[in-house]
Tab-separated table of all heavy atoms in Angstrom:
chain	number	residue	atom	x	y	z
A	2	ASN	N	0.805	-1.220	0.000
A	2	ASN	CA	0.000	0.000	0.000
A	2	ASN	C	0.840	1.274	0.000
A	2	ASN	O	0.305	2.374	0.146
A	2	ASN	CB	-0.956	0.015	1.202
A	2	ASN	CG	-0.211	-0.044	2.536
A	2	ASN	OD1	1.017	-0.061	2.569
A	2	ASN	ND2	-0.959	-0.078	3.625
A	3	LYS	N	2.158	1.142	-0.168
A	3	LYS	CA	3.030	2.319	-0.236
A	3	LYS	C	3.242	2.701	-1.699
A	3	LYS	O	3.284	1.845	-2.568
A	3	LYS	CB	4.353	2.054	0.460
A	3	LYS	CG	4.195	1.824	1.963
A	3	LYS	CD	5.520	1.535	2.632
A	3	LYS	CE	5.328	1.291	4.123
A	3	LYS	NZ	6.600	0.927	4.794
A	4	THR	N	3.382	3.979	-1.952
A	4	THR	CA	3.452	4.448	-3.337
A	4	THR	C	4.809	4.150	-3.970
A	4	THR	O	5.842	4.133	-3.273
A	4	THR	CB	3.195	5.965	-3.423
A	4	THR	OG1	4.283	6.654	-2.781
A	4	THR	CG2	1.873	6.332	-2.755
A	5	PRO	N	4.831	3.939	-5.290
A	5	PRO	CA	6.102	3.718	-5.983
A	5	PRO	C	7.078	4.885	-5.802
A	5	PRO	O	8.283	4.667	-5.656
A	5	PRO	CB	5.679	3.569	-7.442
A	5	PRO	CG	4.269	3.091	-7.389
A	5	PRO	CD	3.671	3.773	-6.191
A	6	ALA	N	6.566	6.114	-5.804
A	6	ALA	CA	7.448	7.280	-5.648
A	6	ALA	C	8.125	7.269	-4.284
A	6	ALA	O	9.307	7.601	-4.158
A	6	ALA	CB	6.658	8.562	-5.845
A	7	SER	N	7.381	6.904	-3.246
A	7	SER	CA	7.965	6.909	-1.900
A	7	SER	C	9.087	5.890	-1.797
A	7	SER	O	10.118	6.133	-1.156
A	7	SER	CB	6.884	6.638	-0.846
A	7	SER	OG	6.423	5.302	-0.897
A	8	TYR	N	8.912	4.729	-2.432
A	8	TYR	CA	9.977	3.730	-2.430
A	8	TYR	C	11.225	4.266	-3.125
A	8	TYR	O	12.354	4.107	-2.640
A	8	TYR	CB	9.502	2.457	-3.133
A	8	TYR	CG	9.039	1.363	-2.190
A	8	TYR	CD1	7.741	1.355	-1.693
A	8	TYR	CD2	9.893	0.340	-1.800
A	8	TYR	CE1	7.304	0.348	-0.835
A	8	TYR	CE2	9.478	-0.677	-0.945
A	8	TYR	CZ	8.178	-0.664	-0.466
A	8	TYR	OH	7.760	-1.662	0.380
A	9	ALA	N	11.038	4.889	-4.292
A	9	ALA	CA	12.180	5.396	-5.053
A	9	ALA	C	12.928	6.483	-4.284
A	9	ALA	O	14.167	6.500	-4.253
A	9	ALA	CB	11.701	5.931	-6.404
A	10	LEU	N	12.191	7.392	-3.667
A	10	LEU	CA	12.821	8.476	-2.915
A	10	LEU	C	13.542	7.954	-1.682
A	10	LEU	O	14.649	8.402	-1.352
A	10	LEU	CB	11.772	9.513	-2.518
A	10	LEU	CG	11.197	10.341	-3.671
A	10	LEU	CD1	9.985	11.134	-3.204
A	10	LEU	CD2	12.251	11.294	-4.232
A	11	ARG	N	12.941	7.007	-0.991
A	11	ARG	CA	13.575	6.454	0.211
A	11	ARG	C	14.822	5.657	-0.149
A	11	ARG	O	15.809	5.652	0.608
A	11	ARG	CB	12.581	5.597	0.981
A	11	ARG	CG	11.471	6.412	1.658
A	11	ARG	CD	10.400	5.518	2.240
A	11	ARG	NE	10.927	4.616	3.256
A	11	ARG	CZ	10.403	3.436	3.556
A	11	ARG	NH1	9.345	2.991	2.893
A	11	ARG	NH2	10.936	2.697	4.511
A	12	TYR	N	14.783	4.991	-1.298
A	12	TYR	CA	15.970	4.264	-1.760
A	12	TYR	C	17.137	5.242	-1.931
A	12	TYR	O	18.245	4.994	-1.438
A	12	TYR	CB	15.677	3.564	-3.078
A	12	TYR	CG	16.862	2.836	-3.667
A	12	TYR	CD1	17.125	1.507	-3.338
A	12	TYR	CD2	17.734	3.479	-4.552
A	12	TYR	CE1	18.215	0.833	-3.876
A	12	TYR	CE2	18.830	2.818	-5.090
A	12	TYR	CZ	19.063	1.495	-4.746
A	12	TYR	OH	20.149	0.850	-5.275
A	13	ALA	N	16.888	6.343	-2.614
A	13	ALA	CA	17.949	7.315	-2.892
A	13	ALA	C	18.416	8.012	-1.621
A	13	ALA	O	19.618	8.135	-1.351
A	13	ALA	CB	17.457	8.342	-3.906
A	14	ALA	N	17.473	8.474	-0.816
A	14	ALA	CA	17.820	9.242	0.376
A	14	ALA	C	18.470	8.395	1.451
A	14	ALA	O	19.145	8.922	2.347
A	14	ALA	CB	16.562	9.917	0.940
A	15	GLY	N	18.300	7.072	1.379
A	15	GLY	CA	18.875	6.198	2.382
A	15	GLY	C	20.347	5.894	2.192
A	15	GLY	O	20.979	5.294	3.063
A	16	LEU	N	20.916	6.326	1.080
A	16	LEU	CA	22.334	6.099	0.829
A	16	LEU	C	23.184	7.032	1.690
A	16	LEU	O	22.814	8.188	1.941
A	16	LEU	CB	22.651	6.333	-0.652
A	16	LEU	CG	21.995	5.364	-1.638
A	16	LEU	CD1	22.148	5.881	-3.064
A	16	LEU	CD2	22.593	3.966	-1.519
A	17	ASP	N	24.334	6.559	2.126
A	17	ASP	CA	25.234	7.382	2.924
A	17	ASP	C	25.801	8.530	2.090
A	17	ASP	O	26.035	8.387	0.891
A	17	ASP	CB	26.389	6.534	3.449
A	17	ASP	CG	25.945	5.515	4.483
A	17	ASP	OD1	24.891	5.731	5.113
A	17	ASP	OD2	26.655	4.504	4.653
A	18	GLY	N	26.038	9.651	2.735
A	18	GLY	CA	26.685	10.783	2.082
A	18	GLY	C	25.777	11.659	1.261
A	18	GLY	O	26.242	12.566	0.556
A	19	VAL	N	24.456	11.424	1.337
A	19	VAL	CA	23.523	12.190	0.520
A	19	VAL	C	23.120	13.481	1.227
A	19	VAL	O	22.633	13.463	2.364
A	19	VAL	CB	22.266	11.352	0.191
A	19	VAL	CG1	21.201	12.203	-0.488
A	19	VAL	CG2	22.650	10.179	-0.705
A	20	LEU	N	23.326	14.582	0.545
A	20	LEU	CA	22.967	15.894	1.065
A	20	LEU	C	21.507	16.206	0.808
A	20	LEU	O	20.785	16.666	1.699
A	20	LEU	CB	23.858	16.956	0.403
A	20	LEU	CG	23.522	18.427	0.616
A	20	LEU	CD1	23.580	18.780	2.089
A	20	LEU	CD2	24.488	19.301	-0.167
A	21	ALA	N	21.042	15.948	-0.412
A	21	ALA	CA	19.647	16.216	-0.764
A	21	ALA	C	19.237	15.341	-1.937
A	21	ALA	O	20.072	14.935	-2.750
A	21	ALA	CB	19.447	17.691	-1.121
A	22	VAL	N	17.945	15.051	-2.006
A	22	VAL	CA	17.361	14.296	-3.112
A	22	VAL	C	16.376	15.215	-3.817
A	22	VAL	O	15.404	15.682	-3.217
A	22	VAL	CB	16.634	13.031	-2.603
A	22	VAL	CG1	15.955	12.314	-3.765
A	22	VAL	CG2	17.608	12.103	-1.896
A	23	LEU	N	16.634	15.504	-5.084
A	23	LEU	CA	15.806	16.430	-5.838
A	23	LEU	C	14.573	15.740	-6.401
A	23	LEU	O	14.653	14.631	-6.915
A	23	LEU	CB	16.597	17.039	-6.994
A	23	LEU	CG	17.826	17.857	-6.618
A	23	LEU	CD1	18.543	18.333	-7.875
A	23	LEU	CD2	17.447	19.045	-5.741
A	24	SER	N	13.452	16.425	-6.311
A	24	SER	CA	12.222	15.943	-6.933
A	24	SER	C	11.612	17.093	-7.720
A	24	SER	O	11.372	18.175	-7.163
A	24	SER	CB	11.240	15.452	-5.862
A	24	SER	OG	10.027	15.032	-6.455
A	25	GLY	N	11.371	16.862	-9.019
A	25	GLY	CA	10.736	17.882	-9.850
A	25	GLY	C	9.234	17.800	-9.702
A	25	GLY	O	8.561	17.118	-10.480
A	26	MET	N	8.699	18.481	-8.715
A	26	MET	CA	7.280	18.345	-8.362
A	26	MET	C	6.413	19.260	-9.218
A	26	MET	O	6.651	20.456	-9.302
A	26	MET	CB	7.109	18.631	-6.873
A	26	MET	CG	7.809	17.590	-6.004
A	26	MET	SD	7.870	17.992	-4.241
A	26	MET	CE	9.338	19.029	-4.155
A	27	SER	N	5.391	18.668	-9.838
A	27	SER	CA	4.532	19.399	-10.771
A	27	SER	C	3.150	19.695	-10.224
A	27	SER	O	2.428	20.514	-10.792
A	27	SER	CB	4.379	18.600	-12.077
A	27	SER	OG	5.630	18.286	-12.635
A	28	THR	N	2.760	19.024	-9.143
A	28	THR	CA	1.417	19.201	-8.590
A	28	THR	C	1.475	19.258	-7.069
A	28	THR	O	2.404	18.703	-6.461
A	28	THR	CB	0.486	18.036	-8.986
A	28	THR	OG1	0.943	16.840	-8.334
A	28	THR	CG2	0.462	17.836	-10.491
A	29	PRO	N	0.488	19.884	-6.437
A	29	PRO	CA	0.427	19.876	-4.970
A	29	PRO	C	0.346	18.466	-4.410
A	29	PRO	O	0.880	18.195	-3.327
A	29	PRO	CB	-0.845	20.675	-4.670
A	29	PRO	CG	-1.044	21.553	-5.864
A	29	PRO	CD	-0.562	20.745	-7.026
A	30	GLU	N	-0.292	17.558	-5.142
A	30	GLU	CA	-0.412	16.186	-4.675
A	30	GLU	C	0.959	15.509	-4.592
A	30	GLU	O	1.255	14.791	-3.623
A	30	GLU	CB	-1.336	15.390	-5.600
A	30	GLU	CG	-2.800	15.807	-5.548
A	30	GLU	CD	-3.092	17.118	-6.295
A	30	GLU	OE1	-2.266	17.516	-7.149
A	30	GLU	OE2	-4.138	17.731	-6.011
A	31	GLN	N	1.795	15.726	-5.605
A	31	GLN	CA	3.148	15.176	-5.572
A	31	GLN	C	3.931	15.757	-4.403
A	31	GLN	O	4.669	15.040	-3.703
A	31	GLN	CB	3.875	15.482	-6.888
A	31	GLN	CG	3.326	14.736	-8.089
A	31	GLN	CD	3.970	15.181	-9.391
A	31	GLN	OE1	4.788	16.100	-9.420
A	31	GLN	NE2	3.585	14.550	-10.498
A	32	LEU	N	3.782	17.047	-4.190
A	32	LEU	CA	4.468	17.711	-3.085
A	32	LEU	C	4.061	17.109	-1.745
A	32	LEU	O	4.910	16.785	-0.906
A	32	LEU	CB	4.163	19.208	-3.111
A	32	LEU	CG	4.669	20.029	-1.915
A	32	LEU	CD1	6.185	19.988	-1.835
A	32	LEU	CD2	4.171	21.474	-2.005
A	33	GLU	N	2.760	16.947	-1.542
A	33	GLU	CA	2.282	16.410	-0.270
A	33	GLU	C	2.767	14.983	-0.060
A	33	GLU	O	3.126	14.600	1.062
A	33	GLU	CB	0.754	16.467	-0.207
A	33	GLU	CG	0.183	17.866	-0.096
A	33	GLU	CD	0.674	18.627	1.138
A	33	GLU	OE1	0.942	17.979	2.181
A	33	GLU	OE2	0.792	19.860	1.065
């Protein structure tokens, strides 16, 4: 029941040494 986007973002942000993970957000729904 978790969204595909959340998995992808958590995969990237969970790596060591990461300062920020960029997301090109186009809608308020994506932002939320």
